[in-house]
Amino acid sequence: MGKKTQRSLLLLLFLSGLVHCSAALVFWTAVVEINYFISPNKTVDKDCECGIFGRNSPLAQAAGFVVIPRGDPKGCGPDPVYNVSGLPWIALVKRGNCTFSQKINAAKRQGASAVVVYNVDGSGNGTAHMAHSDALEIVSIMIGNIQGMEIASLVRNGTEVRMIIDAGSPHGPWMDTYWLYFMSIAFFIVTAASVAYFLFISANRLYNMRMHRRAERRLKSEAKKAIGRLRVRTLKRDDEETASESHMCAVCIESYKAGEVVTVLTCDHIFHKACIEPWLLEKRTCPMCKCDILKALGVEVDEKDSMSQAAPQEVTVITVAGGEAMYEVPLTDPLNFDPERQEHHYDNGAFEGEAARGQ
């Protein structure tokens, strides 16, 4: 598995975990509407987006008359807890003494269409995001203590209070306005930084490529001028190079023939003109002795250019008058040349022995 694939998987896992955590932090408000009669001809209607749906509550509408528990307002006693009629009703119960699930299930068993839990004393109209994993499939919300005490007081006094619960709006880190502003700005900054970095890398790469091509063009231009100064001659029948097939061009490995045009390098080695000129444009050195022809002709080359144009080590051809062509393979680093340590091996063992006796 490549590094890019691993990074993509890690990013996917991170984002999925982030979405999961964010979903757990999101909560929905509840719109609570109540109405009741204070006289035969006067009705009071109140509504506010002041409730919060429980984490395990369905986001649905519920309606009915408000009913409070008998005796203990916290609704934690044994069944039956509520005095109910056949009409749809909503349980209003105070927070405390038992779990939210126990309160909700007690009302659910007696047929409540919804459960409203109001907060503890001293909490004002503050609410909490209650969890009730053991009480499902019934609308359950929490409202503030002040509002809950007011409704409970009306019910105790015999007032019939009708309540309608409806879904409000989502809230949380992904829905909060300031958080969205922050995420938008952060996304813009990260995107801008990524684009700027990409443009910088691309511009730098294009600049380096342009400079490299410019250096190559300059070097080839200088090389062409220098190559034009090399001595050129046309071989004749009585020339030494055409008299024996042992003399051959080290570039194309072909023997010289009368009438062919050859170029004489500064090191006095000769090659076919058509062979050596493209070679020198690319390699700059003599194929036989590795002499830097351009430097010998006074063409200065920058170190960077020389590294990009440096030729790999080539096989050196040695010709012996009256014999066959033999090949010399340098075994030491040509950039760290030491004449005393340079060793040569020849294909012809007899010649190697002769060379050793000659030394």
Side-chain angles (χ1 to χ4, degrees):
M1 185 180 293
K3 291 184 178 179
K4 290 185 178 179
T5 305
Q6 291 178 349
R7 291 174 182 171
S8 300
L9 288 175
L10 289 175
L11 180 59
L12 182 61
L13 290 174
F14 171 76
L15 290 176
S16 62
L18 186 61
V19 170
H20 178 75
C21 294
S22 300
L25 294 174
V26 173
F27 62 91
W28 283 76
T29 58
V31 177
V32 180
E33 179 182 349
I34 62 173
N35 57 78
Y36 55 91
F37 289 96
I38 58 174
S39 67
N41 298 323
K42 187 173 183 181
T43 304
V44 176
D45 294 305
K46 296 181 180 180
D47 65 89
C48 61
E49 192 174 345
C50 47
I52 295 180
F53 277 92
R55 293 182 183 178
N56 308 102
S57 170
L59 299 175
Q61 188 183 70
F65 290 98
V66 178
V67 178
I68 60 176
R70 293 182 303 178
D72 183 11
K74 298 177 181 177
C76 295
D79 293 336
V81 180
Y82 302 88
N83 289 325
V84 294
S85 61
L87 297 175
W89 61 282
I90 295 175
L92 179 64
V93 59
K94 189 175 183 179
R95 181 179 183 180
N97 282 5
C98 57
T99 65
F100 293 120
S101 296
Q102 290 172 333
K103 296 175 187 294
I104 296 170
N105 283 329
K108 182 180 178 182
R109 282 193 295 267
Q110 288 191 247
S113 58
V115 177
V116 178
V117 180
Y118 60 96
N119 215 345
V120 295
D121 296 335
S123 59
N125 274 327
T127 55
H129 195 189
M130 61 181 183
H132 45 93
S133 57
D134 295 331
L136 308 175
E137 299 179 358
I138 182 171
V139 174
S140 306
I141 70 170
M142 177 178 280
I143 61 176
N145 176 264
I146 296 175
Q147 185 182 18
M149 292 290 288
E150 179 184 350
I151 299 173
S153 178
L154 289 170
V155 175
R156 286 193 194 97
N157 293 333
T159 303
E160 289 187 343
V161 180
R162 179 174 172 80
M163 178 181 291
I164 300 175
I165 301 171
D166 205 354
S169 55
H171 293 270
W174 298 108
M175 283 69 183
D176 186 79
T177 305
Y178 295 104
W179 179 259
L180 287 177
Y181 287 155
F182 171 77
M183 290 299 297
S184 301
I185 294 172
F187 177 78
F188 174 77
I189 292 174
V190 172
T191 303
S194 300
V195 171
Y197 178 75
F198 173 77
L199 292 176
F200 172 77
I201 294 297
S202 301
N204 187 58
R205 183 174 297 176
L206 290 174
Y207 173 78
N208 289 336
M209 290 175 62
R210 188 176 296 124
M211 294 301 294
H212 179 70
R213 291 172 183 170
R214 185 179 299 175
E216 284 185 343
R217 287 197 297 268
R218 184 175 65 251
L219 181 61
K220 287 192 176 183
S221 177
E222 295 294 329
K224 287 180 181 179
K225 293 178 183 178
I227 291 170
R229 291 158 47 195
L230 292 172
R231 186 162 60 94
V232 177
R233 50 185 274 242
T234 303
L235 296 178
K236 300 178 182 178
R237 290 185 177 275
D238 55 350
D239 286 340
E240 180 183 357
E241 291 79 9
T242 59
S244 172
E245 292 186 356
S246 60
H247 295 280
M248 61 179 61
C249 175
V251 178
C252 65
I253 318 298
E254 295 287 341
S255 300
Y256 297 112
K257 297 179 178 60
E260 291 181 335
V261 179
V262 297
T263 298
V264 183
L265 303 187
T266 57
C267 55
D268 292 331
H269 292 127
I270 67 170
F271 306 90
H272 289 126
K273 185 176 185 296
C275 296
I276 195 60
E277 288 187 354
W279 175 282
L280 292 178
L281 286 176
E282 296 295 330
K283 311 292 186 181
R284 295 195 350 252
T285 59
C286 171
M288 295 179 65
C289 65
K290 303 304 174 187
C291 173
D292 192 327
I293 304 303
L294 298 187
K295 188 177 292 186
L297 293 172
V299 177
E300 296 295 331
V301 181
D302 293 338
E303 187 64 23
K304 292 182 179 179
D305 296 339
S306 64
M307 289 178 65
S308 63
Q309 296 290 333
Q313 183 68 23
E314 298 291 336
V315 176
T316 301
V317 179
I318 296 181
T319 59
V320 180
E324 296 180 353
M326 290 169 291
Y327 301 91
E328 176 187 282
V329 182
L331 299 180
T332 58
D333 186 357
L335 299 179
N336 188 20
F337 181 77
D338 185 354
E340 295 182 358
R341 298 179 61 186
Q342 189 78 7
E343 298 179 1
H344 305 290
H345 291 263
Y346 303 91
D347 290 341
N348 191 328
F351 183 79
E352 185 174 3
E354 290 293 335
R357 286 195 296 273
Q359 290 177 355

